[in-house]
Amino acid sequence: MRLLDYDGTLLGAAPMGVEKAQQAMRLMLLSRATDERFIKLQRMGRVGIYGPVHGQEASVIGSAMALDPARDWMVPASREHLAMHVQGLPLSSLYATYLGRIDHAAVPEGVRLLPRQQAIGAQLPHATGLAWALKLQRLRGAVMVYFGEGAASEGDFHEAANLAGVIRAPLVMVLINNQYAISTPAHRQSAAPNLAARAVGYGFRGIPVDGNDLFAVHAAAREAVERAVAGEGPTLIECRTYRIGFHNTSDNPREYRPDSEVEDAAERDPIDRLRLWLTSEGAWSPKVEAEAVAQVATEIDAAIADVNAQPRPGAEAIFKHVYAELPYRVEQQRRDTVTRKEDVCP
Amino acid sequence: MRLLDYDGTLLGAAPMGVEKAQQAMRLMLLSRATDERFIKLQRMGRVGIYGPVHGQEASVIGSAMALDPARDWMVPASREHLAMHVQGLPLSSLYATYLGRIDHAAVPEGVRLLPRQQAIGAQLPHATGLAWALKLQRLRGAVMVYFGEGAASEGDFHEAANLAGVIRAPLVMVLINNQYAISTPAHRQSAAPNLAARAVGYGFRGIPVDGNDLFAVHAAAREAVERAVAGEGPTLIECRTYRIGFHNTSDNPREYRPDSEVEDAAERDPIDRLRLWLTSEGAWSPKVEAEAVAQVATEIDAAIADVNAQPRPGAEAIFKHVYAELPYRVEQQRRDTVTRKEDVCP
Amino acid sequence: MKQLSIIEAIRAALVEEMERDPSVMVLGMDVGRLGGVFRVTKGLAARFGEERVADTPLAEASIVGAALGLAIGGMKPVAEIQFLGFTQQAFHQIGPQLARYRFRSRGRYPTQVTIRAPYGGGVRTPEFHADAIESQFVQVPGIKIVAPAFPDDAKGLLLQAIRDPDPVLYLEPQRLYRAIRGPVHNGDPIPFGVSRMVRDGTDLILIAWSAAVHLCLEAAETLARTGASVAVLDLRTLNPLDVEGLVAAVRDCGKAVVVHEAPLTGGFGAEIVATLQQEAYGDLDAPILRVGSRDTPYPPGALEDHFLPTVARVVAAARATLEY
Amino acid sequence: MKQLSIIEAIRAALVEEMERDPSVMVLGMDVGRLGGVFRVTKGLAARFGEERVADTPLAEASIVGAALGLAIGGMKPVAEIQFLGFTQQAFHQIGPQLARYRFRSRGRYPTQVTIRAPYGGGVRTPEFHADAIESQFVQVPGIKIVAPAFPDDAKGLLLQAIRDPDPVLYLEPQRLYRAIRGPVHNGDPIPFGVSRMVRDGTDLILIAWSAAVHLCLEAAETLARTGASVAVLDLRTLNPLDVEGLVAAVRDCGKAVVVHEAPLTGGFGAEIVATLQQEAYGDLDAPILRVGSRDTPYPPGALEDHFLPTVARVVAAARATLEY
Ligand SMILES: Cc1ncc(C[n+]2csc(CCOP(=O)(O)OP(=O)(O)O)c2C)c(N)n1
Ligand SMILES: Cc1ncc(C[n+]2csc(CCOP(=O)(O)OP(=O)(O)O)c2C)c(N)n1
Ligand SMILES: [Mg+2]
Ligand SMILES: [Mg+2]
């Protein structure tokens, strides 16, 4: 499925107005600028590890914008940073994870969002269960869950999708096929040319979309959310995109893929494509872009400053939230750790 | 896919000659008689637990007969008793498991067969690995693995199938959809009406067949084996059948399904269907059947007598084959156990 | 007071909680119309509907993972895993996910999930169906582990498990399901972390949980006939562990033996010994021996008596300790 | 003698075995062209071909399950699980399947499989990547567990692991991968079940394995400055456990502390204490203390120093024991 051609030509009905598309454009710029900033901070030793979204912005933003944050839930994997912000997570809470302020990073009360997941695929059954809970309680709403084509090889994917089919859960599964799981190319991940087709095996709909086409992603996601809310069950959307960046800041993709492949992919950049369309609509210009970029930088600065103003967690933090109430021995350990005040962390 | 109609009419080319069909008929009768005998032995307290094949004989025998036991491997789940015999396991070794002679139950050297598997679905990745080993060593051969529609919900199914697709393993996956996993009906197991269609999601062929049609099962299995051996990769065959018997000797299906459903299914009995065809070919008669039944009973008697002549394993058996060589502490435990001679078992 | 079997006591707790709190639900394989392979949930689907007593596909990881999602969404799921041995298929959803979700979400998503599973040997089950792997969960911070040995505790501890804000692994002694009946209070949840002295004695204490408690009671009875006064302590919960109760019990006797159904090496007995030799070193008059299953795979049913701890082995360990 | 890092030592063992025996192969995520996320298998695909050094899909259970099938089919697979924490996804294929297949098949199918996995903290990894869950495998009869702390042992024990007829879980100390270099013999496999005294001492013995051995060496050095003579024993393999070596070491010193990176409760330290208090009761002059990580989930990297055992905590436990 494609709605915006490589050159920005609209191939069907636009699923959003110009204003919303401008907003999407700003979010994609914010996403890319976040990547750049955190890679820089990582190189400076201020961030442990960071995985960029570069190249996948249309998949991430286009889908996230299809949710109603007051009604729907989002279950992220680990690379959909800005989607979490779209869903209502303040930018400074988003950044706090990378800057070591774990309590500030927590999802605030009222934001329908689960934390990031580092165990590939493990969030999928949670999303099914959450969607099931909505259904059992007759709550209107859908759950959108993100995962990669690598995650789609895990047993958790299969079990979560199959269960979702059986209970007709209001679930939207967004598979972001960025062609790589670390160094493993998609064709070594599965012999299936079409991962969306897996949905047939679970009794629901699967839609492959051009993941670099914000409109296609958004239209597919919006329809899937509507169907979920209407009680028509789950949908699997495969967003076909490309991870232009490295897997994360410890990775060097030159060890496993040719530059030419990346250059090719860069020509299908999702931001360029939307920019072309917006420009052709008279709704974007170099000047507007310059303003947007400046504003994004200011937002990032402010959010980082906000995080840096938060106290660094101390020893106490490792005992907090392990249990509602600490059992005897763990309480002893807490006291030992805290009273010794060996605050050995930086 | 169907080749033999309910009334025994042949709908296409017969995949086997009359003689082989007679042999299949005898094996199906042996299978059913084995069920009856072991249910009786269980009721007498001589067998712990037994799960009958009743109703699924065409799926089990039709597929097993497609293998070349001198070249191909079989990986059973736990209900394909007679398939194991077709693959070369002596009847007395097959029965020995149920009669508590675990060493006699072992697969003899030279028989290309893995032991039964009680963890649902866990055998599937083993089968993929085994098929991979054949391929890596350039050994001609295929691996056939059995599992139920319940097992097809496990993560192991998904991971094993996907890996098999990627490495183009010479694997034939025989999904025996007998409509129940204990009490859970197939429609509660998956919303997909066609489990064979899952193969698309792994990049290989899936074929749904009438599992009560020996010819259809055999033809599909034979083709799949040929393709596997020829390097054309895996096939998923869904045999649609019905578990006429109980799940196992501790189960009472009346608690979860109506008798009428079972009666309906019994009208599509796989043995009846083959008998009709054989009779129409002049190759079967009540007299031949009576002889076959008598012969089967004799075989069963002989095999059981053979098992009963084997010594019951003692304490030593629990320490045998845990490691190539027992570590210090386990060796101590072995000595303790054996020398105390508390041979507390019956 | 009503005399119930353990199965009946568990069912009674489920019914009470489901009556009391509409967010409590049951999910698992065959738990609905059939009422579970042991009929523990028999009648619940008819009473509370198939939505609240939901059959799931045959996929353990998704049962646990979905239970976590259900809890995040406001339900209080009681998930049945057909046999504890099959929690291995769900292991990555239990330790790293369910048990850590409160921590990971910094308290935003407490996960009030109970996992029930029958376990333990002595009933000639097929492979995996008897595996006593509780100690693998002991090293999972964040999940509580409960292992009742009597109908009354089975009910009271399950009430607590369902109401407890933390995830709980509730282990059911398969062998005792219908084998014993006992009085069951119509009352309150039983708090976790409180062991119970089920037989008094002054010379030695046998420490156990779940079905092994009954083995210890038999052994104590045998030992009594030769004049030894042997106490039996039922831990009831492994996490939280009643360290004070253990220390006090050992202080009184000076001698102890730990008995469990899990294989000896790495079993929870090791933790009890390590804890006691640290916390009650001065009070110990002999090494604490452990009696467990053999360090082998669980054998086929016909051979399980060679594998499992027996009264004779408990008595032998107790005698050696008494004579130390 | 060559000075190698642990990564180089592991790679050298893999190369030697693959040269020696054409049925040895490597499989796992990203092990091929990339050479694994730590580059342990770097260069192997180029040397031995992508069939023998095979990238797999992202699915841990199938990696282990397929390795078992490969072994049944005549290969000798060395499977890499990217981080030990992700063996949880494969748990049901390790304990109940791989470790028991020889037993289940009554010796017909021995399963010569090695699982390699990096583990342990101190390098600020994301969640799950540092989890020290070795004790969960200790209660799995049938699988051997190896945990080297030095390049030489890393090589010799891996040679043995690959040649050993039983399945082996080979734990790689992530923190030490490139942090230390040492002489590596060009020689034979190192037998399992033989611990090594890596520092002599007469007052107290510190018992450890993997990265914690180096913590103990530092602590012993610190203690030496105050006049205490502290020995350090490197277990090297957890199963088989060198019970005789442990007992002999404790007999000499009379006092011991066990140190490990896993959370305290239910860690393998408990088994060592329980074993020693039984086998060397008369020789003990003090309770054996354990120093482990805190009984909490592994925290985010920036907080790990509060969680992990530190030199200070080892020294404190040693002092308390010395002064007992
Ligand atoms: C269960 C599990 N196995 C392995 C890893 C290590 N790992 C981290 S990211 C990654 C690749 C994920 O690929 P994909 O799902 O396609 O997502 P992407 O990184 O492309 O966004 C792997 C293997 C992990 N975190 N969890
Ligand atoms: C991993 C696992 N979970 C649960 C069980 C309990 N169990 C035994 S048989 C069975 C149903 C299997 O259904 P299916 O795969 O359709 O095979 P069938 O019994 O119909 O032949 C279940 C749930 C098990 N043995 N293993
Ligand atoms: Mg990817
Ligand atoms: Mg079935």
Side-chain angles (χ1 to χ4, degrees):
Chain A
M1 184 177 156
R2 183 174 297 148
L3 285 175
L4 266 185
D5 216 343
Y6 297 146
D7 62 1
T9 315
L10 191 63
L11 302 173
M16 56 173 75
V18 162
E19 235 171 275
K20 206 163 167 197
Q22 286 173 318
Q23 189 197 332
M25 185 69 189
R26 289 202 171 86
L27 284 164
M28 293 204 286
L29 293 172
L30 176 58
S31 179
R32 198 156 292 178
T34 296
D35 279 359
E36 281 160 20
R37 185 69 66 93
F38 277 83
I39 292 168
K40 211 160 95 191
L41 288 171
Q42 195 277 338
R43 301 298 183 223
M44 291 163 62
R46 297 211 17 231
V47 159
I49 206 164
Y50 180 82
V53 198
H54 193 156
Q56 307 170 206
E57 292 88 349
S59 298
V60 167
I61 305 293
S63 53
M65 287 176 73
L67 292 181
D68 173 355
R71 180 196 67 185
D72 304 323
W73 285 79
M74 178 184 288
V75 181
S78 75
R79 203 188 286 284
E80 301 77 25
H81 316 294
L82 261 289
M84 297 171 73
H85 177 53
V86 172
Q87 182 67 3
L89 187 69
L91 214 50
S92 84
S93 292
L94 178 66
Y95 294 169
T97 312
Y98 309 108
L99 295 163
R101 308 302 201 280
I102 54 171
D103 286 304
H104 188 60
V107 175
E109 202 62 50
V111 176
R112 292 176 160 74
L113 173 70
L114 302 199
R116 288 167 78 228
Q117 177 60 253
Q118 299 284 0
I120 300 296
Q123 75 280 13
L124 287 154
H126 311 162
T128 300
L130 182 52
W132 193 359
L134 297 183
K135 182 166 177 164
L136 288 172
Q137 296 167 97
R138 311 286 185 262
L139 294 168
R140 255 177 78 82
V143 175
M144 180 176 281
V145 60
Y146 288 105
F147 59 110
E149 87 293 344
S153 298
E154 285 278 6
D156 275 348
F157 160 76
H158 174 71
E159 297 191 9
N162 187 49
L163 176 60
V166 168
I167 58 178
R168 273 178 91 76
L171 183 69
V172 180
M173 304 181 75
V174 180
L175 190 170
I176 300 194
N177 185 345
N178 64 0
Q179 309 305 326
Y180 283 92
I182 308 184
S183 77
T184 308
H187 64 82
R188 182 84 199 165
Q189 194 64 245
S190 177
N194 179 350
L195 296 176
R198 287 197 180 153
V200 178
Y202 308 121
F204 53 82
R205 285 213 317 174
I207 312 172
V209 302
D210 179 340
N212 284 7
D213 173 348
L214 182 97
F215 285 178
V217 171
H218 187 69
R222 204 175 53 189
E223 200 208 332
V225 169
E226 279 162 11
R227 285 169 48 88
V229 172
E232 289 166 47
T235 307
L236 171 62
I237 299 174
E238 180 190 356
C239 299
R240 295 178 180 164
T241 175
Y242 189 90
R243 194 196 76 211
I244 292 179
F246 32 69
H247 170 66
N248 64 31
T249 42
S250 330
D251 177 48
N252 173 12
R254 291 208 165 125
E255 291 182 81
Y256 53 81
R257 68 183 184 187
D259 284 353
S260 60
E261 188 186 292
V262 184
E263 286 153 18
D264 274 8
E267 286 183 13
R268 293 185 300 276
D269 189 296
I271 297 187
D272 291 348
R273 209 184 297 184
L274 188 64
R275 185 189 291 114
L276 285 168
W277 181 77
L278 278 173
T279 307
S280 76
E281 293 288 302
W284 204 259
S285 66
K287 186 165 160 286
V288 176
E289 174 125 358
E291 280 164 18
V293 166
Q295 197 204 318
V296 152
T298 314
E299 273 183 60
I300 294 178
D301 288 341
I304 290 180
D306 187 25
V307 179
N308 285 335
Q310 306 295 327
R312 284 195 176 278
E316 189 78 45
I318 73 167
F319 296 97
K320 233 167 103 182
H321 308 303
V322 178
Y323 299 89
E325 210 176 302
L326 284 187
Y328 176 81
R329 175 178 280 176
V330 197
E331 172 55 26
Q332 258 184 341
Q333 293 177 359
R334 191 193 63 79
R335 243 174 305 154
D336 271 14
T337 312
V338 174
T339 54
R340 266 193 221 159
K341 299 236 185 310
E342 304 165 5
D343 209 323
V344 279
C345 295
Chain B
M1 182 175 156
R2 181 173 300 148
L3 284 175
L4 266 185
D5 216 343
Y6 297 146
D7 61 1
T9 316
L10 192 62
L11 301 172
M16 56 174 75
V18 162
E19 234 170 275
K20 205 161 168 200
Q22 286 173 318
Q23 188 198 335
M25 184 71 188
R26 289 201 171 87
L27 285 164
M28 293 204 286
L29 291 172
L30 176 58
S31 179
R32 198 157 291 178
T34 296
D35 279 358
E36 280 160 20
R37 184 68 65 95
F38 277 83
I39 292 167
K40 210 159 94 189
L41 288 170
Q42 195 278 336
R43 301 298 184 223
M44 291 162 62
R46 296 208 21 229
V47 160
I49 207 161
Y50 179 82
V53 198
H54 193 157
Q56 308 170 204
E57 291 89 351
S59 297
V60 167
I61 306 292
S63 53
M65 286 177 73
L67 291 181
D68 174 355
R71 178 195 69 183
D72 303 323
W73 285 79
M74 178 183 289
V75 181
S78 74
R79 203 187 287 284
E80 301 79 23
H81 316 293
L82 260 288
M84 297 172 73
H85 177 53
V86 172
Q87 181 68 2
L89 187 69
L91 214 50
S92 84
S93 292
L94 178 66
Y95 294 169
T97 312
Y98 310 108
L99 294 163
R101 308 303 201 280
I102 55 171
D103 285 305
H104 188 60
V107 175
E109 202 62 49
V111 176
R112 291 175 160 74
L113 173 71
L114 303 200
R116 288 168 78 228
Q117 177 60 253
Q118 299 285 0
I120 300 297
Q123 75 281 13
L124 287 154
H126 310 163
T128 299
L130 181 52
W132 194 357
L134 297 183
K135 183 166 176 163
L136 287 172
Q137 295 167 98
R138 313 283 185 264
L139 293 168
R140 254 176 79 82
V143 176
M144 181 175 282
V145 60
Y146 288 105
F147 60 110
E149 86 294 343
S153 297
E154 284 278 5
D156 275 348
F157 160 76
H158 175 70
E159 297 192 8
N162 187 50
L163 177 60
V166 167
I167 57 178
R168 275 178 90 78
L171 183 68
V172 180
M173 303 180 76
V174 180
L175 190 170
I176 300 194
N177 185 345
N178 64 0
Q179 309 304 325
Y180 283 92
I182 308 185
S183 76
T184 307
H187 63 83
R188 183 82 200 166
Q189 194 64 244
S190 177
N194 179 351
L195 295 177
R198 287 197 180 152
V200 177
Y202 308 121
F204 54 82
R205 285 213 318 174
I207 312 171
V209 302
D210 180 341
N212 285 7
D213 173 348
L214 182 97
F215 284 179
V217 171
H218 186 71
R222 204 175 52 189
E223 200 209 332
V225 169
E226 278 162 11
R227 285 169 47 89
V229 172
E232 289 166 46
T235 306
L236 171 62
I237 300 174
E238 180 190 356
C239 299
R240 293 178 182 164
T241 175
Y242 189 90
R243 194 196 75 211
I244 292 179
F246 32 70
H247 169 66
N248 63 32
T249 41
S250 329
D251 177 48
N252 173 11
R254 291 208 165 127
E255 291 181 81
Y256 53 80
R257 69 183 184 188
D259 283 353
S260 60
E261 188 187 291
V262 185
E263 285 153 19
D264 275 8
E267 285 182 14
R268 293 185 299 277
D269 189 297
I271 296 187
D272 291 348
R273 210 185 296 184
L274 188 64
R275 186 189 291 115
L276 285 169
W277 182 76
L278 278 173
T279 306
S280 76
E281 293 287 304
W284 203 259
S285 68
K287 185 165 161 287
V288 176
E289 173 125 358
E291 279 165 18
V293 166
Q295 196 204 319
V296 153
T298 315
E299 273 182 59
I300 294 177
D301 288 341
I304 290 179
D306 187 24
V307 179
N308 286 335
Q310 306 295 327
R312 286 196 174 278
E316 189 79 45
I318 73 167
F319 296 96
K320 231 167 104 182
H321 307 303
V322 178
Y323 298 91
E325 211 178 302
L326 284 187
Y328 175 82
R329 176 179 279 174
V330 196
E331 172 55 26
Q332 257 185 341
Q333 294 177 0
R334 189 194 64 79
R335 242 173 308 155
D336 271 13
T337 312
V338 174
T339 54
R340 265 193 221 157
K341 299 233 186 308
E342 303 164 6
D343 210 322
V344 280
C345 294
Chain C
M1 217 180 306
K2 266 189 288 192
Q3 297 276 327
L4 300 183
S5 69
I6 286 188
I7 285 197
E8 289 161 348
I10 294 170
R11 191 186 301 132
L14 290 171
V15 168
E16 265 180 44
E17 286 304 285
M18 291 186 78
E19 292 281 7
R20 202 182 59 81
D21 181 346
S23 63
V24 175
M25 67 175 290
V26 166
L27 72 160
M29 296 173 200
D30 306 297
V31 296
R33 189 172 307 181
L34 181 64
V37 286
F38 290 105
R39 310 300 185 271
V40 173
T41 57
K42 184 106 201 154
L44 265 56
R47 185 157 177 176
F48 299 104
E50 292 194 11
E51 275 206 323
R52 277 182 77 194
V53 185
D55 279 343
T56 62
L58 207 176
E60 286 81 5
S62 67
I63 294 175
V64 176
L68 166 52
L70 282 160
I72 291 170
M75 303 299 290
K76 298 197 184 81
V78 181
E80 176 176 308
I81 296 292
Q82 216 153 51
F83 294 89
L84 185 66
F86 301 127
T87 54
Q88 305 250 318
Q89 268 76 355
F91 216 71
H92 61 289
Q93 284 291 345
I94 302 176
Q97 296 299 329
L98 179 60
R100 291 193 203 171
Y101 220 84
R102 172 193 286 275
F103 183 81
R104 179 176 308 136
S105 69
R106 307 311 292 156
R108 168 71 198 278
Y109 298 118
T111 47
Q112 197 158 342
V113 171
T114 304
I115 301 176
R116 294 176 37 238
Y119 89 125
V123 288
R124 307 269 192 268
T125 58
E127 205 185 344
F128 310 117
H129 293 65
D131 290 356
I133 50 171
E134 67 269 42
S135 85
Q136 289 177 348
F137 294 95
V138 168
Q139 228 204 8
V140 174
I143 192 164
K144 293 174 176 167
I145 303 169
V146 180
F150 298 93
D152 200 26
D153 286 346
K155 178 160 177 232
L157 290 168
L158 183 54
L159 293 177
Q160 176 59 32
I162 298 172
R163 295 189 202 175
D164 199 279
D166 293 315
V168 177
L169 179 64
Y170 178 91
L171 303 172
E172 306 182 356
Q174 190 177 188
R175 179 210 296 254
L176 306 176
Y177 259 162
R178 295 190 174 85
I180 57 169
R181 301 184 76 78
V184 171
H185 286 81
N186 233 339
D188 288 336
I190 294 174
F192 291 167
V194 186
S195 62
R196 192 156 73 107
M197 196 65 80
V198 294
R199 180 187 170 110
D200 288 319
T202 50
D203 299 336
L204 172 102
I205 183 149
L206 297 172
I207 300 165
W209 57 92
S210 195
V213 171
H214 297 269
L215 199 67
C216 291
L217 286 171
E218 261 191 79
E221 198 55 44
T222 306
L223 289 157
R225 288 201 285 273
T226 59
S229 168
V230 173
V232 178
L233 186 76
D234 178 359
L235 280 184
R236 304 206 289 189
T237 64
L238 309 191
N239 178 17
L241 178 62
D242 184 5
V243 178
E244 284 126 326
L246 277 168
V247 169
V250 167
R251 186 167 302 140
D252 291 346
C253 294
K255 291 180 172 185
V257 171
V258 189
V259 181
H260 57 62
E261 273 200 24
L264 184 77
T265 300
F268 189 60
E271 180 58 47
I272 294 172
V273 174
T275 298
L276 283 173
Q277 72 89 44
Q278 172 169 355
E279 311 273 339
Y281 189 76
D283 296 311
L284 280 175
D285 301 324
I288 306 175
L289 300 188
R290 294 176 288 160
V291 179
S293 285
R294 301 315 192 181
D295 287 321
T296 74
Y298 203 105
L303 291 165
E304 68 185 354
D305 298 339
H306 300 299
F307 170 79
L308 290 167
T310 56
V311 173
R313 281 173 55 209
V314 177
V315 167
R319 289 236 167 86
T321 309
L322 286 166
E323 287 157 19
Y324 190 87
Chain D
M1 215 181 304
K2 266 191 288 192
Q3 296 278 325
L4 300 182
S5 69
I6 286 190
I7 284 197
E8 289 161 349
I10 294 170
R11 190 186 302 132
L14 289 171
V15 168
E16 265 180 44
E17 285 305 285
M18 291 185 79
E19 292 281 7
R20 201 181 60 80
D21 180 346
S23 64
V24 175
M25 67 175 289
V26 166
L27 72 159
M29 297 173 201
D30 306 298
V31 296
R33 190 171 308 178
L34 181 64
V37 286
F38 290 105
R39 311 299 185 273
V40 172
T41 56
K42 183 105 200 153
L44 265 57
R47 185 156 176 175
F48 299 104
E50 292 194 10
E51 275 207 323
R52 277 181 78 192
V53 186
D55 279 343
T56 62
L58 208 176
E60 285 81 3
S62 67
I63 294 175
V64 176
L68 166 52
L70 282 160
I72 291 170
M75 303 298 291
K76 299 196 184 82
V78 181
E80 175 176 309
I81 297 292
Q82 216 153 49
F83 294 88
L84 184 67
F86 302 127
T87 54
Q88 306 250 315
Q89 268 76 355
F91 216 71
H92 61 289
Q93 284 291 345
I94 301 176
Q97 296 299 330
L98 179 60
R100 289 193 204 172
Y101 219 84
R102 172 193 287 275
F103 183 82
R104 178 177 308 135
S105 70
R106 308 312 291 155
R108 168 71 199 278
Y109 298 118
T111 47
Q112 196 158 344
V113 171
T114 304
I115 302 176
R116 295 177 36 240
Y119 89 124
V123 288
R124 306 271 192 267
T125 57
E127 206 183 344
F128 311 118
H129 293 64
D131 289 357
I133 50 172
E134 67 270 42
S135 84
Q136 289 177 347
F137 293 95
V138 168
Q139 228 203 9
V140 172
I143 192 163
K144 293 173 176 168
I145 304 169
V146 180
F150 297 93
D152 200 25
D153 286 345
K155 179 163 176 226
L157 290 168
L158 183 53
L159 292 177
Q160 176 59 32
I162 297 172
R163 294 189 202 175
D164 200 278
D166 292 316
V168 176
L169 179 64
Y170 178 91
L171 305 171
E172 305 181 358
Q174 191 178 186
R175 179 210 295 254
L176 306 177
Y177 259 163
R178 295 190 174 85
I180 57 168
R181 303 183 75 80
V184 171
H185 287 81
N186 233 340
D188 287 337
I190 294 174
F192 291 167
V194 185
S195 61
R196 191 156 74 107
M197 196 65 79
V198 292
R199 180 186 169 110
D200 289 318
T202 51
D203 299 337
L204 173 104
I205 182 148
L206 297 172
I207 299 165
W209 58 91
S210 195
V213 171
H214 297 268
L215 199 67
C216 291
L217 286 171
E218 260 192 79
E221 197 55 44
T222 307
L223 289 157
R225 289 201 285 273
T226 60
S229 168
V230 173
V232 178
L233 187 76
D234 177 359
L235 280 183
R236 303 205 290 188
T237 64
L238 309 191
N239 179 16
L241 178 62
D242 184 5
V243 179
E244 284 127 326
L246 276 169
V247 169
V250 167
R251 186 168 302 140
D252 290 345
C253 294
K255 292 181 171 185
V257 171
V258 189
V259 181
H260 58 62
E261 273 199 25
L264 185 77
T265 299
F268 189 59
E271 180 58 47
I272 294 172
V273 174
T275 298
L276 282 174
Q277 72 91 43
Q278 171 169 355
E279 311 272 338
Y281 189 76
D283 295 311
L284 280 175
D285 302 323
I288 306 175
L289 301 187
R290 294 175 288 160
V291 180
S293 284
R294 300 316 191 180
D295 287 322
T296 73
Y298 203 105
L303 291 165
E304 69 185 353
D305 299 339
H306 300 300
F307 170 79
L308 290 167
T310 56
V311 172
R313 281 173 54 209
V314 177
V315 167
R319 289 236 168 86
T321 307
L322 287 166
E323 286 157 19
Y324 189 88

